[in-house]
Every structure is written in C-alpha cells, then in structure tokens.
Amino acid sequence: MKRRWTYPKQGPGRPPIRPTIRALVLRLAAENPGWGYRRIAGQIAGLGRKVSPATVWAILKRAGFDPAPQRGGPTWAQFLKAQASGILACDFFSVETVMLARLYCFAVVEHATRRVHVLGITANPSADWVAQQARNLILDLGDRIGSFRFLIRNRDSKYTALFDEVFTSEGICVVLTAPQAPRMNAIMERWVGSGVRRELLDRILIMNERHLRKVLAE
C-alpha cells in the first residue's frame, strides 16, 4: 500500500524556465530592439515553442532589458560620449566651517574640457540667487554658449523653473538625472569628491565664506 500510493515529490510553485527558452528570448530582444514582450512571445510560438508573454516579460526584466521603445535609443554612456562637446553639468556641494555654519557652493563643469566654473558660495541658496548664478555663467561663456546643447542637473529643489528658463532661452535642453543616481552626473561628482574634498577640504579648516572663496580660487 505504501509503494502504491507514493507519488513523486514536486517542488512548490511553477517549474523553472528552460535555459534554451531564456537564451532564445534574450537573443530575440537583443537582435530586435523594437520588439516588445508580446511580439517576442509570438515569434517563439511560430518556432513551435510555447511561452506566455508574462514569462517573456519576467525574463527581460531580470536580465535588465528596458521596454521596447527605450531599447532602440543610445545608452546614457553613449549619449555622454557622443554629445560631450555640447554638455554642461552642474551641482551643489556643502562645506562645514569651524563655526558649524554650512555653506553651499554651486559649480558647473564643461564635459569636453573638464573646465569647472565655481559660480557662487552662499549660506542661503534661494531661487533668485541660483538663477542669478546661471545668468552669470551665460555671461562668462560669452559667444561659446551657442556650442552647448544640454545641461545635466539633479532633481534638487534648489533648481526652480526660473533657473531652467535661463538655459532654455539660450536653446539649451535641461536633462534631469534619475532619482538617487549620482553616476549620471559622474564627472561633476568625481570633481567634488577628489578635486575638492580629498585634495582641499579634508586638509584645510574653513573659517568662513571669504576663506572658502580664497581656497577654491587657489
């Protein structure tokens, strides 16, 4: 009786996806950037293999594939490399003084030349102040402003519509980085981390705003 009523043990949940199906899905997605998961499932069905669109979607998601409309465009690294000569990137970084006051520094970097413009230092970066620093940058660049097409910035609340308008009026498109994605502004982040903090601020005690301006200027 025991041998008669003993059934093969099966693990809980759905059976795993066959490696051949997974490889086929990834190959079709890589070779056909415009195909969505339903189209891929239909093509596999035409080859005599049955797979649901939901399974195709799960395979693509685990493999890190973007949705079909986004797979056809360049990656972020390709965009930065192709448009380097026309990209500006900006960011704030804070400095603590010996009197426990916090100062905010606003800087912009040119991607092609890695030239950094330290535009201003303040303890209160208001919307009007930030917009004025953008206007000062436009004046500093002069005739060269026409060679820039993009400004990369994060989603900090210090950047307002007034700030963006300064650049859009010059034909510069403002590109927002993804939330909590500092690598999308890696050149500026690297300058702040290595050029400013490790080389200067970690070695010097800052007294006040005037002292910080002198240190950054040198």
Side-chain angles (χ1 to χ4, degrees), residues 51-156:
V51 59
S52 69
T55 300
V56 174
W57 178 85
I59 293 173
L60 296 178
K61 183 178 180 181
R62 282 196 292 267
F65 276 80
D66 292 325
Q70 300 179 16
R71 272 187 268 133
T75 64
W76 182 251
Q78 291 171 340
F79 165 75
L80 295 180
K81 184 176 181 180
Q83 303 292 338
S85 60
I87 293 179
L88 297 169
C90 64
D91 201 3
F92 279 90
F93 62 94
S94 61
V95 179
E96 304 289 340
T97 69
V98 294
M99 302 302 294
L100 302 181
R102 176 171 294 179
L103 300 176
Y104 294 91
C105 304
F106 182 52
V108 174
V109 62
E110 302 177 24
H111 268 219
T113 62
R114 301 298 195 272
R115 180 183 178 185
V116 178
H117 304 264
V118 180
L119 298 179
I121 302 171
T122 182
N124 181 28
S126 63
D128 292 337
W129 183 87
V130 176
Q132 184 58 50
Q133 305 315 307
R135 298 187 190 99
N136 294 343
L137 174 66
I138 300 299
L139 294 176
D140 291 342
L141 294 175
D143 295 338
R144 294 199 302 125
I145 191 61
S147 62
F148 295 101
R149 298 179 55 194
F150 302 98
L151 171 75
I152 298 175
R153 70 166 178 84
N154 58 28
R155 300 170 185 267
D156 196 309

Side-chain angles (χ1 to χ4, degrees), residues 39-52:
R39 176 72 180 275
I40 294 175
Q43 292 294 324
I44 294 176
L47 298 174
R49 305 285 187 89
K50 188 176 181 180
V51 59
S52 69

